[in-house]
Amino acid sequence: MASPVELRGRRVAVVGLGKSGLAVARFCAERGAQVVGCDDRDEAALASALLPLQGDLAAGRLQLALGELRPEPLVAADLIVLSPGVPPSRAPIVAAQAAGVSITGEIELASRFIAAPIVGITGTNGKSTVTNLCGAIAEASGRPSFCGGNLGTPLCTAIDTAAATAAGIVVVELSSYQLETAQTLTCTAATVLNL
C-alpha cells in the first residue's frame, strides 16, 4: 500500500460529479480538504445528486464550479481527482497539468487509504460477473469484505470500514478509464479478461 495522501488544508478539484466524483468530494471534504466540485452539467441537472453534499456546501468545505469545465479552479488546485470517463486531454485539465497540478483518479486516491489486499478485475467483457463472483467468495470467507469500483460502489466508500483494514478483502472492478489515472495501485491478485 502506498502512503495515504494528506488532504487536510489542500485544495482539491473533483472533476465529474457522478457517483464516483460525489463520493470522492465527500471523502476529501471530510478529511479537511477545500474541495471544488466541477461538472459540465448545471446545478439544476445535478440538484438531486448534490443533496448529500448540502452540509459540506453550507460549511464552506465544498464549492461548485458547474456548467462548463473551466481552467481557473483546476489551476488553483493542489490536486485534481478525475472521475472515470473524464478525458485527461480536455484543455482545462491539460492547462492545470502544465501548471504543475497533480492529477489522479478516485481508485488511485482511495487505494492509498486501504490496507486490505485488493483483488482487481479488468478487461473487455465479463468484468462485472467475475467481480461479483470474487466478491461473493470474499464475503463467504468470513473476513470483512467490499465489492465495488466500476461495478457501481465507489472504492472510497470502503475506507474507514473493516473491509479496508489488513484483516479485510477488497474486490474492485476496474475500467480502462480508472486505470488511466492509477499510478501506485497495487493489487494482491488481478486479472485481465477477454483481450
Side-chain angles (χ1 to χ4, degrees), residues 81-154:
V81 183
L82 295 181
S83 293
V86 175
S89 59
R90 290 191 63 183
I93 298 166
V94 171
Q97 191 169 29
V101 180
S102 179
I103 298 174
T104 193
E106 184 261 340
I107 293 287
E108 172 66 23
L109 180 67
S111 72
R112 291 173 168 252
F113 293 85
I114 293 176
I118 297 175
V119 178
I121 294 109
T122 194
T124 306
N125 296 315
K127 293 188 296 294
S128 297
T129 302
V130 173
T131 301
N132 280 320
L133 174 63
C134 290
I137 292 168
E139 187 176 348
S141 76
R143 291 171 66 178
S145 63
F146 168 86
C147 183
N150 192 57
L151 204 55
T153 306

Side-chain angles (χ1 to χ4, degrees), residues 7-184:
L7 295 170
R8 183 163 304 285
R10 294 188 75 196
R11 295 165 300 177
V12 178
V14 178
V15 181
L17 296 177
K19 200 178 233 186
S20 174
L22 291 169
V24 83
R26 254 189 324 271
F27 169 74
C28 291
E30 287 170 0
R31 282 171 174 67
Q34 291 298 310
V35 181
V36 59
C38 307
D39 201 288
D40 287 327
R41 295 171 289 174
D42 63 21
E43 196 162 351
L46 288 166
S48 62
L50 293 174
L51 287 174
L53 300 177
Q54 292 308 311
D56 291 316
L57 286 164
R61 291 184 297 268
L62 174 64
Q63 297 176 341
L64 299 173
L66 305 176
E68 178 185 349
L69 187 61
R70 296 179 302 280
E72 296 81 16
L74 303 184
V75 172
D78 298 312
L79 175 67
I80 296 171
V81 183
L82 295 181
S83 293
V86 175
S89 59
R90 290 191 63 183
I93 298 166
V94 171
Q97 191 169 29
V101 180
S102 179
I103 298 174
T104 193
E106 184 261 340
I107 293 287
E108 172 66 23
L109 180 67
S111 72
R112 291 173 168 252
F113 293 85
I114 293 176
I118 297 175
V119 178
I121 294 109
T122 194
T124 306
N125 296 315
K127 293 188 296 294
S128 297
T129 302
V130 173
T131 301
N132 280 320
L133 174 63
C134 290
I137 292 168
E139 187 176 348
S141 76
R143 291 171 66 178
S145 63
F146 168 86
C147 183
N150 192 57
L151 204 55
T153 306
L155 181 57
C156 64
T157 63
I159 300 167
D160 297 331
T161 69
T165 68
I169 301 174
V170 170
V171 180
V172 287
E173 178 181 321
L174 302 167
S175 73
S176 59
Y177 293 119
Q178 290 168 319
L179 290 171
E180 255 186 290
T181 53
Q183 297 154 342
T184 65

